[in-house]
Amino acid sequence: MELFLMQLFNGISVSSILLLAALGLAITFGLMGVINMAHGEFIMIGAYTAYVVQNFFKKYLPASVFDSYCIVAILLSFLVAGFCGLILEKLIIRKLYGRAADSLLVTWGISLILQQGARSIFGSPNVGVEAPSFLENSLKISGMLALPYKRLFILLIAVICLLGVYALMFKTRQGRNIRAVMQNRNMAASLGVNTSRVDASTFAIGSGLAGLAGCALTWIGAIGPTLGTNYIVDTFMTVVVGGAGSIIGSVFGAGFIGVGETAFEFMTTASMGKVLIFVCVIILLQFRPKGIFAVHTRSLED
Amino acid sequence: MKKMNRVASAVMAVAMAFSLAGCSGGAMSEVSGSSASAETESKTSESGSEQASTPESSGDTIKVGILHSLSGTMAISETSVKDAELLAIKEINEAGGVLGKQLEPVVEDGASDNATFKEKAEKLLLNDKVATVFGCWTSASRKAVLPTFESNNGLLWYPVQYEGMESSPNIFYVGAAPNQQIVPAIEYMSENYGKKVFLLGSDYVFPRTANEIVKKQAEALGMEVVGEEYTPMGHTDYTTIISKIQQAQPDFIFNTLNGDSNVAFFKQYKDAGLTPDQIQTLSVSIAEEEVAGIGASYLEGHLTAWNYYETTDTPENEKFVEAYKAEYGEDRVTDDPIEAGYDAVYLWAKAVEKAGSIDVDKVKEAAGGIEFSAPEGTITIDGDNQHMYKPVRIGKINADGLIDEVWSTDEAVKPDPYLSTYEWASGLSTQ
């Protein structure tokens, strides 16, 4: 029983990490239709931002305030990655709307450039980020059932981000503009929406969310130039399974893959678990080619 | 939306291909190699890979090849080995060179990709006509270049511990054979920590072969293997594995994870509230350089098995560490493969001096019995299998990220790549 609960928590935790990493992609890929292979590299940018912030706190500020670096790191990683996303959109992505295959190739190239850039700046070895002390240890419920604070914290961040994105999309003017542009660009433009500004800000928000995910990932995983490549496959899978274009779909996609993968891994092995979850995804997509939550549009584009 | 959907499935297909091949890291990053190799080439521009067709010992120089991954996933580890080899070459040159000639390194980037390794090996042997090559890290890359070295009668000095069961006439193995690392480590653990072992490794050649050996040995020592898990390269979530470990309650974990996976594993191990006092781990792929990337706070108290540590107390090591840090920066650390790369250059130079020629056959013949006072202690080339006599050390990782020796063999251990002197190992080499 204990073990079951522990595994259930692990599954939820993996899902929350996936969701956090995929939320940005749900916006850039799901809503905007840009196949952004560099999404993983925005995660990496966020992770390195956290590393730099941590070093700054270590070096210039008293040890007593060190723990508060995580708040600064979370904010800055969002802003830095968002800013990088903004530049990328202005320079390159804006020329690629509606050209999915091209955007795939171009963003893949960008991801390689960013990886090599990180390697040149920070060196190829992994770097270490210390988690703030209040995230050490775990919430002990019983002998084996211990919920690490880091994972609970990441879960919390994922939920906050999700609510934030939801609020942005459905409760603000900006969100309404974004949805309008994504549904029918020409119509939105003719109604006076500045589409290129909406594009840029949406892409920046998506990239910023990736950066935020990167910051959270520093506490549980490796931080190196190729960090993003470890997550890119799973994040795309999350968005595709959930249904491109649907934020709530990404939640289900993340849950499906996270819980499914941990369960399969527990019953078999890590490699086999991965294979089985892929098989499930393939079968699922046979029956629901647009993902669990398909977005119905009246668009005539195809 | 239909178009969108088609593209989405294309992305999925690509993604799955990467992931299932277990090489999402490598595949993504291998292409990124070009700029790194360009950098290296410009650094060694005088070594001139452009003037490729000049014969090997023309004029006053002897060309030697260096073939490591300077980009891609393995660059983390291999770049430093390359640095150590260049340091040794520099030292030898300053001391007057080999046979009165200066050594001229030709550095090539294997880009963490086995096909590239093979291609670059061919280039070094056929175009550059190098006298010898120092290189490779993963067993897969070594196996990829092996036929090239054998068919062209080249010479490769391989600096990393490996799983054994191989002895090519064209390769000198400067790292540990299994009986110089894995076998004594398991003996040590079973005596000091207990009989129940959990095997955890990355899913590729080395961990699987190493664990075959461990399983045979465990049987012979009356130990019990309570779990065996392999994770794909680049695996990031170890919570499930840790649950399995907690359920199995081993006395210690034998860890052959490689690369980034170690970071995720040890961070999450600590988060789960596990300490080395509760369940000790012994790693064979974590050296000082990896410790820095994982974070010493996560690894403090865990054990490793190697032949050399930066803290190894020999006068040669003091000199080596000082020279390495002076050349590449105070914040750099030395470790076992780095030291082995450094030794390899000296061993080859000694063999050439003894042979009086850079001819591969003559060097090989002269190599047997050559001794070198290495930083790890005196190592000797075993002429029969071209491995080294090496001392074995178990170390405990400390809070500063260095490794303190807790146990070592009294003298250098004779290499036995096929474990032919161990009765329990019979039947392994035929696999």
Side-chain angles (χ1 to χ4, degrees):
Chain A
M1 186 60 196
E2 256 187 352
L3 197 64
F4 174 78
L5 288 176
M6 189 68 222
Q7 274 310 107
L8 188 68
F9 175 76
N10 287 343
I12 293 170
S13 172
V14 172
S15 306
S16 71
I17 293 164
L18 275 179
L19 177 65
L20 195 55
L23 210 48
L25 199 69
I27 294 175
T28 54
F29 171 60
L31 288 175
M32 303 177 72
V34 178
I35 300 184
N36 184 11
M37 295 300 281
H39 182 75
E41 277 55 48
F42 287 108
I43 296 179
M44 173 199 78
I45 288 173
Y48 273 112
T49 306
Y51 169 71
V52 171
V53 170
Q54 172 217 254
N55 285 357
F56 179 84
F57 268 71
K58 242 187 210 163
K59 209 163 177 185
Y60 298 107
L61 295 174
S64 55
V65 297
F66 176 74
D67 283 352
S68 58
Y69 95 87
C70 80
I71 308 293
V72 181
I74 288 173
L75 292 175
L76 265 184
S77 56
F78 178 83
L79 292 176
V80 171
F83 184 68
C84 293
L86 188 67
I87 295 174
L88 185 67
E89 203 276 344
K90 289 277 182 207
L91 290 179
I92 298 162
I93 304 289
R94 64 172 0 167
K95 304 193 168 68
L96 296 170
Y97 290 121
R99 292 160 62 189
D102 294 345
S103 75
L104 188 151
L105 282 177
V106 169
T107 51
W108 193 44
I110 291 166
S111 83
L112 297 179
I113 293 170
L114 290 175
Q115 277 175 32
Q116 198 60 41
R119 207 171 274 133
S120 307
I121 300 170
F122 297 101
S124 42
N126 287 330
V127 296
V129 170
E130 260 175 59
S133 58
F134 61 83
L135 290 183
E136 298 292 342
N137 299 323
S138 44
L139 182 67
K140 282 220 163 41
I141 295 175
S142 66
M144 230 194 92
L145 195 58
L147 316 181
Y149 286 125
K150 284 178 196 164
R151 299 207 162 236
L152 291 170
F153 191 58
I154 292 175
L155 191 63
L156 182 72
I157 296 178
V159 170
I160 291 174
C161 287
L162 183 68
L163 292 177
V165 169
Y166 182 82
L168 173 78
M169 284 297 165
F170 296 98
K171 302 284 175 208
T172 66
R173 188 186 161 79
Q174 167 78 6
R176 203 161 57 231
N177 284 349
I178 292 175
R179 283 183 294 137
V181 172
M182 300 321 152
Q183 277 173 24
N184 194 326
R185 179 173 301 270
N186 295 336
M187 185 63 88
S190 60
L191 290 174
V193 177
N194 184 343
T195 55
S196 66
R197 185 184 290 168
V198 168
D199 285 338
S201 60
T202 312
F203 194 83
I205 291 168
S207 306
L209 284 171
L212 208 160
C215 177
L217 290 175
T218 58
W219 301 319
I220 54 162
I223 308 136
T226 52
L227 162 70
T229 57
N230 293 337
Y231 291 97
I232 188 77
V233 174
D234 288 342
T235 50
F236 263 108
M237 201 155 74
T238 301
V239 176
V240 172
V241 165
S246 164
I247 302 290
I248 197 75
S250 298
V251 178
F252 280 85
F256 176 78
I257 292 168
V259 175
E261 200 170 321
T262 37
F264 284 136
E265 185 179 335
F266 189 75
M267 289 185 279
T268 59
T269 64
S271 306
M272 205 55 208
K274 200 114 200 150
V275 172
L276 287 175
I277 196 72
F278 275 134
V279 171
C280 287
V281 169
I282 291 170
I283 293 171
L284 183 91
L285 289 180
Q286 291 297 316
F287 293 101
R288 299 205 64 118
K290 289 185 177 178
I292 303 175
F293 285 79
V295 177
H296 302 286
T297 71
R298 296 186 200 168
S299 160
L300 290 172
E301 60 184 290
D302 45 33
Chain B
M1 284 315 274
K2 216 183 255 168
K3 195 165 86 195
M4 173 86 197
N5 198 55
R6 225 177 298 137
V7 176
S9 19
V11 173
M12 287 297 298
V14 171
M16 286 180 182
F18 277 145
S19 186
L20 283 179
C23 62
S24 59
M28 292 283 186
S29 39
E30 72 200 19
V31 191
S32 66
S34 48
S35 69
S37 58
E39 214 172 273
T40 343
E41 264 165 38
S42 67
K43 219 182 278 172
T44 55
S45 60
E46 291 132 63
S47 64
S49 30
E50 315 88 49
Q51 19 166 310
S53 52
T54 28
E56 41 181 324
S57 58
S58 70
D60 302 326
T61 62
I62 299 173
K63 275 192 188 175
V64 294
I66 290 181
L67 177 55
H68 284 292
S69 299
L70 308 176
S71 57
T73 42
M74 289 311 298
I76 291 176
S77 308
E78 291 189 62
T79 311
S80 304
V81 180
K82 175 215 69 175
D83 289 343
E85 286 158 358
L86 288 175
L87 174 67
I89 289 172
K90 189 182 148 204
E91 287 179 3
I92 290 171
N93 280 344
E94 278 168 3
V98 177
L99 298 175
K101 289 177 180 177
Q102 293 283 297
L103 301 180
E104 184 187 319
V106 182
V107 182
E108 288 294 344
D109 179 10
S112 310
D113 173 55
N114 299 332
T116 311
F117 264 99
K118 188 170 165 54
E119 190 185 304
K120 299 287 186 179
E122 275 166 15
K123 177 200 169 268
L124 285 171
L125 291 177
L126 301 175
N127 293 354
D128 297 323
K129 299 197 167 31
V130 295
T132 183
V133 175
F134 307 98
C136 299
W137 179 293
T138 64
S139 290
S141 69
R142 186 190 67 250
K143 292 211 186 279
V145 301
L146 188 145
T148 309
F149 278 91
E150 288 187 351
S151 60
N152 295 302
N153 197 22
L155 201 54
L156 173 69
W157 296 75
Y158 176 70
V160 186
Q161 45 76 239
Y162 81 117
E163 67 281 0
M165 310 297 158
E166 187 183 298
S167 81
S168 161
N170 294 81
I171 301 181
F172 280 88
Y173 304 81
V174 192
N179 76 314
Q180 295 168 314
Q181 184 190 28
I182 298 169
V183 174
I186 293 291
E187 270 166 26
Y188 174 84
M189 293 307 285
S190 97
E191 268 166 36
N192 292 283
Y193 287 90
K195 300 283 184 194
K196 287 199 287 185
V197 55
F198 192 102
L199 306 175
L200 172 64
S202 296
D203 206 350
Y204 74 107
V205 185
F206 170 70
R208 284 193 180 266
T209 317
N211 285 341
E212 285 308 312
I213 295 171
V214 172
K215 280 190 277 185
K216 285 265 187 186
Q217 189 188 3
E219 209 179 304
L221 291 175
M223 294 166 68
E224 187 192 349
V225 177
V226 294
E228 183 178 3
E229 290 288 333
Y230 299 94
T231 61
M233 294 292 249
H235 195 62
T236 49
D237 200 281
Y238 281 87
T239 46
T240 301
I241 300 263
I242 290 167
S243 291
K244 285 185 183 176
I245 290 171
Q246 284 175 312
Q247 201 189 12
Q249 285 297 323
D251 293 319
F252 70 98
I253 300 164
F254 180 69
N255 169 28
T256 41
L257 288 176
N258 212 332
D260 292 356
S261 296
N262 274 316
V263 188
F265 173 68
F266 280 102
K267 280 187 178 175
Q268 293 164 21
Y269 193 75
K270 194 181 173 198
D271 288 344
L274 290 170
T275 62
D277 293 335
Q278 291 164 1
I279 304 175
Q280 182 58 268
T281 72
L282 178 103
S283 307
V284 292
S285 301
I286 297 181
E288 284 86 336
E289 196 149 71
E290 285 76 25
V291 173
I294 299 170
S297 63
Y298 298 102
L299 283 172
E300 192 182 346
H302 289 279
L303 297 178
T304 60
W306 290 102
N307 308 106
Y308 165 89
Y309 300 111
E310 185 174 315
T311 56
T312 298
D313 189 18
T314 64
E316 289 82 9
N317 186 37
E318 208 173 300
K319 221 181 94 216
F320 168 62
V321 172
E322 199 179 303
Y324 188 82
K325 292 194 180 216
E327 187 80 15
Y328 300 112
E330 271 306 308
D331 55 331
R332 295 284 293 268
V333 289
T334 62
D335 64 25
D336 186 285
I338 292 175
E339 188 255 1
Y342 177 83
D343 297 348
V345 180
Y346 273 99
L347 288 167
W348 171 78
K350 277 177 173 274
V352 170
E353 291 286 0
K354 188 173 160 197
S357 157
I358 56 167
D359 180 77
V360 169
D361 292 327
K362 287 184 186 154
V363 171
K364 268 164 52 184
E365 209 182 297
I370 279 187
E371 279 186 12
F372 173 57
S373 301
E376 69 184 74
T378 302
I379 57 176
T380 315
I381 301 178
D382 186 330
D384 297 332
N385 52 29
Q386 306 195 151
H387 287 61
M388 310 294 139
Y389 285 75
K390 291 168 86 76
V392 184
R393 298 184 165 93
I394 306 285
K396 190 175 252 178
I397 299 165
N398 67 28
D400 300 325
L402 292 177
I403 303 175
D404 299 320
E405 184 177 311
V406 292
W407 176 87
S408 77
T409 50
D410 301 330
E411 51 191 23
V413 177
K414 181 178 163 54
D416 183 5
Y418 292 95
L419 297 170
S420 53
T421 56
Y422 299 85
E423 212 168 282
W424 50 262
S426 61
L428 267 177
S429 44
T430 51
Q431 281 177 353

